[in-house]
Amino acid sequence: MNSVVNSTAPSTASFIETNGTAAVAAAIAASTMTESSATTTTLKPNFIVQAKPMTSQIDPLSHVGDGIFLQTKTAQGLATIFVWVALFITCQQIYQHLRWYTNPQEQRWIVRILFIVPMYATYSWISLFFFNSDNVYVYFFTVRDCYEAFVIYSFLSLCYEYLGGEGNIMSEIRGKPIKSSCMYGTCCLKGKTYTIGFLRFCKQATLQFCLVKPLVAFIIIFLQAFGHYHDGDWSANGGYIYITVIYNISVTLALYGLYLFYFATRDLLTPFEPVLKFCTIKSIIFLSFWQGVLLAILEKAKVISPIVDSAGTVTSAGTVSAGYQNFFICIEMLFAAIALRYAFPYQVSQNTFILFLFFFFIYLF
């Protein structure tokens, strides 16, 4: 046994001496592999932890920047400038009407109409500062919608006041044939004459909007509280599509009623320059509604998408669409204020007051 060991020992020693370099290299390689495997074992979890979040964040952040302009100080500053200039123009005009309050029966309706600019501009401007708060703007829209209905009622009442009331209007138009024209929307009235029923249809078709608008505004709040209303949600399970259809029918009927009323009384309203008044009121109220519908369609077509700000806060596409609506209204109210200034000038009342003083002093002396 010893001889075997002794006989093998020299050979092993000689092998080590002969292949010493290879043995050392193999040992170093083995230790290196052991260390690398240990290092890999400790680093592998860190690599996985870092890689997975990056993969999960790619999809949501692919649309960062869409609509981000609404969150900038530039957008807020621009909206602020337009809103405050519009408020200054309108408030100055309201003050002048109250200062020269010589025709209360007409001017009370005019002042109520003029307040639409402060209501629209202020609530849209405040809503813009709550841009990242989902659905907060709906509560501001409710107040605005209610006053919008009141403006339609005030405008129709002003037209009746201009013409001396329903009785005086009927005495002027009763029995006259209605001109049938597809362009004027009266093709279905061929052979008919103006009657009290026609006039009341115009009034009812217009005033139904004053009832539907605030009612639907409160229904929106109710549906939103139960999660059944989201702007731009056209699904049958949501309330947005049904609200939009109801609004469309109500707005169309109100526009048609107003137009028929103007068509029947345009000759009587000529001294009051009705065209600018009609166009301005209808543009402020009805075009703003269609503007909102257009933005909802763009949202549905994925032109307007959700956004993620630098802090990682996700804002839904419906809120982005409403933000654009508020921003556009802030800009548009300046032009509305200018148009209303020319549509309802206070100089008419001022001139009436001056004429009154003139004849009053002539009477005294």
Side-chain angles (χ1 to χ4, degrees):
M1 187 74 178
N2 292 333
S3 62
V4 173
V5 172
N6 291 333
S7 62
T8 56
S11 62
T12 303
S14 61
F15 176 81
I16 294 173
E17 289 177 0
T18 306
N19 302 295
T21 305
V24 171
I28 293 173
S31 62
T32 304
M33 290 177 64
T34 304
E35 292 176 359
S36 64
S37 63
T39 306
T40 304
T41 303
T42 56
L43 291 177
K44 188 175 180 180
N46 293 336
F47 175 78
I48 294 173
V49 170
Q50 293 176 358
K52 283 185 177 180
M54 291 177 63
T55 304
S56 63
Q57 292 178 3
I58 290 176
D59 292 335
L61 293 177
S62 62
H63 46 69
V64 170
D66 296 341
I68 206 71
F69 171 73
L70 298 174
Q71 297 173 301
T72 62
K73 297 295 182 182
T74 303
Q76 294 177 357
L78 193 63
T80 301
I81 292 172
F82 274 79
V83 165
W84 282 98
V85 173
L87 289 177
F88 173 79
I89 293 173
T90 305
C91 291
Q92 194 269 346
Q93 186 181 6
I94 292 173
Y95 166 75
Q96 293 294 344
H97 271 288
L98 296 177
R99 181 184 178 187
W100 308 104
Y101 203 62
T102 58
N103 192 351
Q105 289 78 16
E106 295 179 6
Q107 286 180 283
R108 62 178 177 174
W109 300 115
I110 292 175
V111 170
R112 292 168 185 175
I113 292 171
L114 293 177
F115 265 106
I116 192 174
V117 171
M119 293 294 292
Y120 260 59
T122 302
Y123 281 103
S124 297
W125 180 59
I126 294 174
S127 298
L128 200 60
F129 284 91
F130 287 92
F131 175 73
N132 286 332
S133 301
D134 281 348
N135 299 324
V136 172
Y137 62 88
V138 173
Y139 301 100
F140 295 111
F141 281 9
T142 302
V143 180
R144 194 182 71 186
D145 290 346
C146 292
Y147 197 81
E148 183 178 288
F150 180 66
V151 167
I152 290 294
Y153 167 73
S154 299
F155 180 67
L156 190 62
S157 299
L158 176 63
C159 292
Y160 270 77
E161 191 65 43
Y162 281 151
L163 301 177
E166 187 177 87
N168 190 55
I169 296 173
M170 284 311 305
S171 65
E172 294 289 339
I173 68 173
R174 179 182 279 114
K176 293 182 179 180
I178 301 176
K179 183 180 178 181
S180 179
S181 172
C182 294
M183 185 176 67
Y184 295 124
T186 57
C187 55
C188 57
L189 302 175
K190 184 178 181 180
K192 296 185 179 296
T193 59
Y194 292 114
T195 62
I196 189 66
F198 173 86
L199 189 62
R200 287 180 179 173
F201 168 77
C202 297
K203 187 175 183 179
Q204 292 167 358
T206 304
L207 293 183
Q208 56 80 28
F209 179 78
C210 303
L211 177 64
V212 172
K213 187 74 171 177
L215 180 62
V216 172
F218 285 104
I219 291 176
I220 289 175
I221 294 179
F222 179 79
L223 292 176
Q224 182 187 289
F226 289 92
H228 295 296
Y229 182 87
H230 300 283
D231 274 334
D233 180 13
W234 298 90
S235 64
N237 296 327
Y240 179 79
I241 186 172
Y242 305 107
I243 294 296
T244 303
V245 170
I246 293 172
Y247 264 159
N248 276 319
I249 295 173
S250 180
V251 166
T252 303
L253 190 58
L255 274 173
Y256 185 62
L258 270 178
Y259 182 78
L260 286 180
F261 177 79
Y262 169 72
F263 184 77
T265 61
R266 64 186 185 278
D267 294 332
L268 302 175
L269 288 170
T270 300
F272 305 98
E273 300 178 353
V275 176
L276 182 58
K277 293 178 173 63
F278 269 88
C279 292
T280 303
I281 296 299
K282 289 199 285 188
S283 298
I284 294 174
I285 294 176
F286 299 117
L287 290 184
S288 64
F289 167 74
W290 290 109
Q291 179 176 270
V293 173
L294 177 61
L295 288 171
I297 294 173
L298 292 177
E299 176 193 341
K300 183 65 176 178
K302 305 299 181 182
V303 176
I304 299 176
S305 58
I307 63 172
V308 182
D309 62 12
S310 58
T313 304
V314 180
T315 304
S316 65
T319 304
V320 175
S321 176
Y324 277 118
Q325 174 79 328
N326 287 320
F327 178 76
F328 290 150
I329 288 176
C330 289
I331 303 300
E332 291 161 357
M333 281 303 102
L334 174 58
F335 302 100
I338 296 173
L340 287 171
R341 189 177 184 87
Y342 288 99
F344 301 97
Y346 68 88
Q347 286 84 355
V348 175
S349 300
Q350 183 182 24
N351 294 337
T352 302
F353 181 74
I354 293 173
L355 287 174
F356 171 77
L357 290 179
F358 176 74
F359 287 112
F360 177 74
F361 282 114
I362 289 178
Y363 175 77
L364 289 179
F365 297 101

